[in-house]
Amino acid sequence: MIRHTADITDREETLLIEYAFGTLDEAHSLLIASYISRSPQARERVRACEIVGGMLMESCCAPESMTQKNAEHILEKLGAVTENPPPAQDKEDNAPLETFGDNDIPAPIMAYMRRQQKKAKWRKLLNGCRICRLSLRGSQYNFALYDIAPGHGMPTHTHKGAELTLVLEGSFSDEYGQYDAGKLVIHETGTTHTPQAHPETGCICVILTEGPYRFSNPLVQLLSFLR
Amino acid sequence: MLISAMGKEPKVIEENNFSAPEKDISNEEMVAAVAGNQDKQAFISLYNYFAPRIKSFMMKAGITPDAAEELAQETMLTVWSKAGQFDPARAGASTWIFTIARNKRIDYLRKNARPVPDRKEIEFDTGIGTTSASEVISRAEEAEILDNALTELPEEQAELIKKAFFEDKTHKDIAAENNLPLGTVKSRIRLGLERLRHKLGEQIT
C-alpha cells in the first residue's frame, strides 16, 4: 500500500531525526547521508535536530565524574595527535578514484565502494540493468547501486518491507510518479510497481530494501532464483 | 580555576573541577583558539566542560562508565585535531562537539553488542541541582532556556524526545516498547522538536 500523502513526508522526517540523533542502522544511515549530501533542505533539517542534540547533551547530561582527574594524561595524548595525525581518513580522501564511472556518486557511498573494492563490482542483473551490491555490517537490508540504461527497467514486482530509492542521475518513473535526480522515493511494504528508467537519460540510483524481490510474473520470479 | 567557598569548610582547589569555562570567552572562541594557536589552556577548558557531559551522554545509551570515559576522551581529541574545520557560521560549538560524540557513539555501538540501557539512568536530568554551585551560577542562564523550553512542552512530547535522544532506539522501537502507535510517536517527537527549535531560536540570536 502506498501513501502519497503527508505520511511520506512523515517517514522521511523520521529518518532525518533518527539520523541526526544517531539511532539509524548502518544501511539507512548510508542512504540518508547520501540523500542529504544532495539536498540542502534535508541537510538543514538534520542540522536543526543536531542543534537540539547539542543543547540536550550540554544541558541534560549531568556531568559524570571522570576517573582521570588531572589533565596531564590528556595533554600527553594531544602531543601524539599533533605529531602523528591519523592517516586513515586522509588516505581515503586522497586515494585515486576508481572508475566506477561517475562523479555523481555521493562521497559516503564512494568511501564504502573503495573499501570493498574487490567485492563491490558491477554485475549484469538483467538486460540493460547492472547492479553493484554493498555489504554492510550486520545488516538485514539489501543495499545496492543500480545502473539502468535508457528505456530499460525492472519487471513488475513488490517487496516485503519498504523500498527506499535515492535517484543519483537521470530519472525513473513508475505507476506512482516520476522521480528526478536527488529525490528520495519511499515505497511502503507491499507496493507493487514497474520502475522504468528515463528513455533518454537512463537512471543511476541507490536502492535499500528489506525483503527480496517478488516478481509478479511467475516466470521472471523463477528466473530470478537462478542468479 | 577557583571555586568560591560556598560551603563552610575551605575547599581543596582541584586542577580540574569541571566547572564552566570563563564566562567572557565562549566555547566557540575557545575552539578558534585551539585551531589558530593550538591553545592548550583553551582546550583544557573545553575538555573540563564537555568531557563529563559526553561521558554522561554515552552512559545514557547503556555504555559502561569506563568505555564512556574513553569515548569522551576520544571525542575531545578529535575536537583538538579537527578544530580547524569548525565553522561557527554553520553551528555552535556544542552542536559540533555533539555530532563528533554522536558519531563515536554510533561506531562503538555498531562494533559492540548493543547494551540494554538501565531504565533508571534515562530519567530526565537538567543538570541543575546535581552539579557544583559555581557551575550552576555560571551556566544557569543557558540551561534555564532549554530547561524551560523542555518543561513547557507537553509531558508526552518531552518524554518521547528524551527517549529518542538518550536511548539508542528508533521511533519504531520506542513505539513498540511503549505500546504506542508509530504515528503518535512520530508526530509527538516532530511537534516537540519544532517547539524546542522555535523557543531556542527566540532566545538565541
Coordinates of all heavy atoms in Angstrom, one line a residue, chain A residues 57 74 78 81-82 86, chain B residues 27-28 30-36 38-39 42-47 50-51 54 71-86 92-102 104:
Chain A
M57 N 22.7 17.5 25.0 CA 23.9 17.0 25.6 C 24.5 17.9 26.6 O 25.0 17.6 27.7 CB 24.9 16.6 24.5 CG 26.1 15.9 25.0 SD 27.3 15.4 23.8 CE 28.2 16.9 23.5
I74 N 45.8 13.8 29.3 CA 45.1 14.3 28.1 C 46.1 15.2 27.3 O 46.1 15.1 26.1 CB 43.8 14.9 28.3 CG1 43.0 15.0 27.0 CG2 43.9 16.3 28.9 CD1 42.4 13.7 26.6
L78 N 47.5 14.8 23.5 CA 47.5 15.9 22.5 C 48.7 15.9 21.6 O 48.7 16.1 20.4 CB 47.3 17.2 23.2 CG 46.0 17.6 23.8 CD1 46.0 19.0 24.2 CD2 44.9 17.4 22.8
V81 N 48.7 13.3 19.0 CA 47.8 13.6 18.0 C 48.3 14.6 17.0 O 48.2 14.5 15.8 CB 46.4 14.1 18.5 CG1 45.5 14.7 17.4 CG2 45.7 12.9 19.2
T82 N 49.0 15.7 17.6 CA 49.5 16.7 16.7 C 50.6 16.2 15.9 O 50.7 16.6 14.7 CB 50.0 17.9 17.6 OG1 49.1 18.1 18.7 CG2 50.1 19.2 16.8
P86 N 46.1 11.2 12.4 CA 45.5 9.9 12.0 C 45.5 9.8 10.5 O 44.9 10.7 9.8 CB 44.1 9.9 12.6 CG 43.8 11.3 12.9 CD 45.1 12.0 13.2
Chain B
N27 N 32.5 29.1 24.1 CA 33.1 27.9 23.6 C 33.6 28.0 22.2 O 34.6 27.4 21.8 CB 32.0 26.8 23.7 CG 31.7 26.4 25.1 OD1 32.5 26.5 26.0 ND2 30.5 25.9 25.4
E28 N 32.9 28.8 21.4 CA 33.2 28.9 20.0 C 34.6 29.6 19.9 O 35.5 29.2 19.1 CB 32.2 29.8 19.3 CG 30.9 29.1 19.0 CD 30.0 28.9 20.2 OE1 30.2 29.7 21.2 OE2 29.2 28.0 20.3
M30 N 36.9 29.5 22.1 CA 37.9 28.6 22.6 C 38.3 27.6 21.5 O 39.5 27.3 21.4 CB 37.5 27.9 23.9 CG 37.6 28.8 25.1 SD 37.6 27.9 26.6 CE 35.9 28.2 27.1
V31 N 37.4 27.1 20.8 CA 37.7 26.2 19.7 C 38.6 27.0 18.7 O 39.5 26.4 18.1 CB 36.4 25.7 19.0 CG1 36.8 24.8 17.8 CG2 35.6 24.9 19.9
A32 N 38.2 28.2 18.4 CA 39.0 29.0 17.5 C 40.5 29.2 18.0 O 41.4 29.1 17.2 CB 38.4 30.4 17.3
A33 N 40.6 29.3 19.3 CA 41.9 29.5 19.9 C 42.7 28.2 19.7 O 43.9 28.2 19.4 CB 41.8 29.8 21.4
V34 N 42.0 27.1 19.9 CA 42.7 25.8 19.7 C 43.1 25.6 18.2 O 44.2 25.2 17.9 CB 41.7 24.6 20.0 CG1 42.3 23.3 19.6 CG2 41.5 24.6 21.5
A35 N 42.2 26.0 17.3 CA 42.5 25.9 15.9 C 43.7 26.8 15.5 O 44.6 26.4 14.8 CB 41.3 26.2 15.1
G36 N 43.6 28.1 15.9 CA 44.6 29.1 15.5 C 45.9 29.0 16.2 O 46.9 29.1 15.5
Q38 N 46.8 26.5 18.7 CA 47.0 25.2 19.5 C 47.0 25.6 21.0 O 47.8 25.1 21.7 CB 48.3 24.6 19.1 CG 48.4 24.4 17.5 CD 48.9 23.0 17.2 OE1 49.9 22.6 17.7 NE2 48.2 22.4 16.2
D39 N 46.0 26.4 21.4 CA 46.0 26.9 22.7 C 45.5 25.7 23.7 O 44.4 25.3 23.7 CB 45.0 28.0 22.8 CG 44.9 28.7 24.1 OD1 45.3 28.1 25.1 OD2 44.5 29.9 24.2
A42 N 42.9 26.7 26.5 CA 41.6 26.8 25.9 C 41.0 25.3 25.8 O 39.9 25.1 26.1 CB 41.5 27.5 24.6
F43 N 41.9 24.5 25.3 CA 41.5 23.1 25.2 C 41.1 22.5 26.5 O 40.1 21.8 26.6 CB 42.5 22.2 24.5 CG 42.2 20.8 24.4 CD1 41.3 20.4 23.4 CD2 42.7 19.9 25.3 CE1 40.9 19.0 23.4 CE2 42.3 18.5 25.2 CZ 41.4 18.1 24.3
I44 N 41.9 22.7 27.5 CA 41.6 22.2 28.9 C 40.2 22.7 29.3 O 39.5 21.9 29.9 CB 42.7 22.5 29.9 CG1 44.0 21.8 29.5 CG2 42.3 22.2 31.3 CD1 43.9 20.3 29.7
S45 N 40.0 23.9 29.1 CA 38.7 24.5 29.5 C 37.5 23.7 28.8 O 36.5 23.3 29.4 CB 38.6 26.0 29.1 OG 39.4 26.7 29.9
L46 N 37.7 23.5 27.5 CA 36.7 22.8 26.7 C 36.5 21.4 27.3 O 35.4 20.9 27.5 CB 37.0 22.8 25.3 CG 36.9 24.1 24.5 CD1 37.5 24.0 23.1 CD2 35.4 24.5 24.3
Y47 N 37.7 20.8 27.5 CA 37.7 19.4 28.0 C 37.0 19.3 29.3 O 36.1 18.4 29.5 CB 39.1 18.9 28.1 CG 39.2 17.5 28.6 CD1 39.2 16.4 27.6 CD2 39.4 17.1 29.9 CE1 39.3 15.1 28.0 CE2 39.5 15.8 30.3 CZ 39.4 14.8 29.4 OH 39.5 13.5 29.8
F50 N 33.1 19.8 28.6 CA 32.4 18.8 27.7 C 32.6 17.4 28.1 O 31.7 16.6 28.0 CB 32.7 19.1 26.3 CG 32.0 20.3 25.7 CD1 32.7 21.4 25.4 CD2 30.7 20.2 25.4 CE1 32.0 22.5 24.9 CE2 30.0 21.3 24.8 CZ 30.6 22.4 24.6
A51 N 33.8 17.0 28.4 CA 34.1 15.6 28.6 C 33.2 14.9 29.6 O 32.6 13.8 29.3 CB 35.6 15.3 29.0
I54 N 29.9 14.5 27.8 CA 29.9 13.5 26.8 C 29.9 12.1 27.4 O 29.2 11.2 27.0 CB 31.2 13.6 25.9 CG1 31.1 15.0 25.2 CG2 31.3 12.5 24.9 CD1 32.5 15.4 24.6
L71 N 35.5 7.1 25.4 CA 34.8 7.7 24.2 C 34.8 9.2 24.3 O 35.0 10.0 23.4 CB 33.4 7.2 24.0 CG 33.3 5.7 23.5 CD1 31.9 5.2 23.6 CD2 33.8 5.7 22.0
A72 N 34.6 9.7 25.6 CA 34.6 11.1 25.8 C 36.0 11.7 25.5 O 36.1 12.8 24.9 CB 34.2 11.4 27.3
Q73 N 37.0 11.0 25.9 CA 38.4 11.5 25.7 C 38.7 11.5 24.2 O 39.2 12.4 23.6 CB 39.4 10.5 26.3 CG 39.5 10.7 27.8 CD 40.6 9.9 28.4 OE1 41.5 9.4 27.7 NE2 40.5 9.7 29.7
E74 N 38.2 10.4 23.5 CA 38.4 10.3 22.0 C 37.7 11.5 21.3 O 38.2 12.0 20.3 CB 37.9 9.0 21.5 CG 38.9 7.8 21.8 CD 38.3 6.5 21.3 OE1 37.5 6.5 20.3 OE2 38.6 5.5 21.9
T75 N 36.5 11.8 21.8 CA 35.8 12.9 21.2 C 36.6 14.2 21.3 O 36.7 14.9 20.3 CB 34.4 13.0 21.9 OG1 33.7 11.8 21.8 CG2 33.6 14.2 21.2
M76 N 37.1 14.4 22.5 CA 37.8 15.7 22.7 C 39.1 15.7 22.0 O 39.6 16.8 21.5 CB 38.0 15.9 24.2 CG 36.7 16.2 25.0 SD 35.7 17.5 24.2 CE 36.7 18.9 24.3
L77 N 39.7 14.5 21.8 CA 41.0 14.5 21.0 C 40.7 14.9 19.5 O 41.4 15.5 18.8 CB 41.6 13.1 21.1 CG 42.3 12.8 22.4 CD1 42.8 11.4 22.4 CD2 43.5 13.8 22.6
T78 N 39.5 14.4 19.1 CA 39.1 14.8 17.7 C 38.8 16.3 17.6 O 39.1 16.9 16.6 CB 37.8 14.0 17.3 OG1 38.1 12.6 17.3 CG2 37.4 14.3 15.9
V79 N 38.2 16.8 18.7 CA 38.0 18.3 18.7 C 39.3 19.0 18.6 O 39.5 19.9 17.8 CB 37.3 18.7 20.1 CG1 37.4 20.2 20.2 CG2 35.9 18.2 20.1
W80 N 40.4 18.5 19.2 CA 41.7 19.1 19.1 C 42.2 19.0 17.7 O 42.7 20.0 17.1 CB 42.7 18.4 20.1 CG 44.1 18.8 19.9 CD1 45.0 18.1 19.2 CD2 44.8 19.9 20.5 NE1 46.3 18.7 19.2 CE2 46.1 19.8 20.0 CE3 44.4 21.0 21.3 CZ2 47.1 20.8 20.4 CZ3 45.3 21.9 21.6 CH2 46.6 21.8 21.2
S81 N 42.1 17.8 17.1 CA 42.8 17.7 15.8 C 41.9 18.3 14.7 O 42.5 18.7 13.7 CB 43.1 16.2 15.5 OG 41.9 15.5 15.5
K82 N 40.6 18.4 14.9 CA 39.8 19.0 13.8 C 39.3 20.4 14.1 O 38.4 20.8 13.4 CB 38.6 18.0 13.5 CG 39.0 16.7 13.0 CD 37.9 16.0 12.3 CE 38.4 14.8 11.6 NZ 37.4 13.9 11.0
A83 N 39.9 21.0 15.1 CA 39.4 22.4 15.4 C 39.4 23.3 14.2 O 38.5 24.2 14.1 CB 40.2 22.9 16.6
G84 N 40.4 23.1 13.3 CA 40.4 23.9 12.2 C 39.2 23.8 11.2 O 39.0 24.7 10.4
Q85 N 38.5 22.7 11.4 CA 37.4 22.5 10.5 C 36.1 23.1 11.0 O 35.1 23.1 10.4 CB 37.1 21.0 10.2 CG 38.3 20.4 9.5 CD 38.1 18.9 9.3 OE1 36.9 18.4 9.4 NE2 39.1 18.2 9.1
F86 N 36.1 23.6 12.3 CA 34.9 24.1 12.9 C 34.6 25.5 12.3 O 35.4 26.4 12.2 CB 35.1 24.2 14.4 CG 34.0 25.0 15.1 CD1 32.7 24.4 15.1 CD2 34.2 26.2 15.7 CE1 31.7 25.1 15.8 CE2 33.2 26.9 16.4 CZ 31.9 26.3 16.4
G92 N 27.0 26.0 16.4 CA 27.6 26.4 17.7 C 28.6 25.3 18.0 O 28.5 24.2 17.5
A93 N 29.5 25.5 19.0 CA 30.5 24.6 19.4 C 29.8 23.3 20.0 O 30.2 22.2 19.7 CB 31.4 25.2 20.5
S94 N 28.7 23.5 20.8 CA 28.1 22.3 21.4 C 27.4 21.4 20.3 O 27.4 20.2 20.5 CB 27.0 22.7 22.4 OG 26.0 23.5 21.8
T95 N 26.9 22.0 19.3 CA 26.3 21.2 18.2 C 27.4 20.4 17.5 O 27.3 19.2 17.3 CB 25.7 22.1 17.1 OG1 24.7 22.9 17.7 CG2 25.0 21.3 16.0
W96 N 28.5 21.1 17.2 CA 29.7 20.4 16.5 C 30.2 19.3 17.4 O 30.4 18.2 16.9 CB 30.7 21.5 16.2 CG 31.9 21.0 15.5 CD1 32.0 20.4 14.3 CD2 33.3 21.0 16.0 NE1 33.3 20.0 13.9 CE2 34.1 20.4 15.0 CE3 33.9 21.5 17.1 CZ2 35.5 20.3 15.1 CZ3 35.3 21.3 17.3 CH2 36.0 20.7 16.3
I97 N 30.4 19.6 18.6 CA 31.0 18.6 19.5 C 30.0 17.4 19.7 O 30.4 16.2 19.8 CB 31.4 19.2 20.8 CG1 32.6 20.1 20.6 CG2 31.8 18.1 21.9 CD1 33.0 20.9 21.8
F98 N 28.7 17.7 19.7 CA 27.7 16.7 19.8 C 27.8 15.7 18.6 O 27.7 14.5 18.8 CB 26.3 17.3 19.9 CG 25.2 16.3 19.5 CD1 24.9 15.3 20.4 CD2 24.5 16.5 18.3 CE1 23.9 14.3 20.0 CE2 23.5 15.5 18.0 CZ 23.2 14.5 18.8
T99 N 28.0 16.3 17.4 CA 28.0 15.4 16.2 C 29.2 14.5 16.3 O 29.1 13.4 15.9 CB 28.0 16.2 14.9 OG1 29.1 17.1 14.9 CG2 26.7 17.0 14.8
I100 N 30.3 15.0 16.8 CA 31.5 14.2 16.9 C 31.2 13.0 17.9 O 31.5 11.9 17.6 CB 32.8 15.0 17.3 CG1 33.1 16.0 16.3 CG2 34.0 14.1 17.6 CD1 34.2 17.0 16.7
A101 N 30.7 13.4 19.1 CA 30.4 12.4 20.1 C 29.4 11.4 19.6 O 29.5 10.2 19.8 CB 29.8 13.1 21.3
R102 N 28.3 11.9 18.9 CA 27.3 11.0 18.3 C 27.9 10.0 17.4 O 27.6 8.8 17.4 CB 26.3 11.8 17.6 CG 25.2 11.0 16.9 CD 24.6 11.8 15.7 NE 25.5 12.2 14.7 CZ 25.3 13.1 13.8 NH1 24.1 13.7 13.8 NH2 26.2 13.4 12.9
K104 N 31.0 8.9 17.3 CA 31.8 7.9 18.0 C 30.9 6.9 18.7 O 31.2 5.7 18.8 CB 32.7 8.6 19.1 CG 33.6 9.7 18.6 CD 35.1 9.2 18.7 CE 36.0 10.3 18.2 NZ 36.8 9.9 17.1

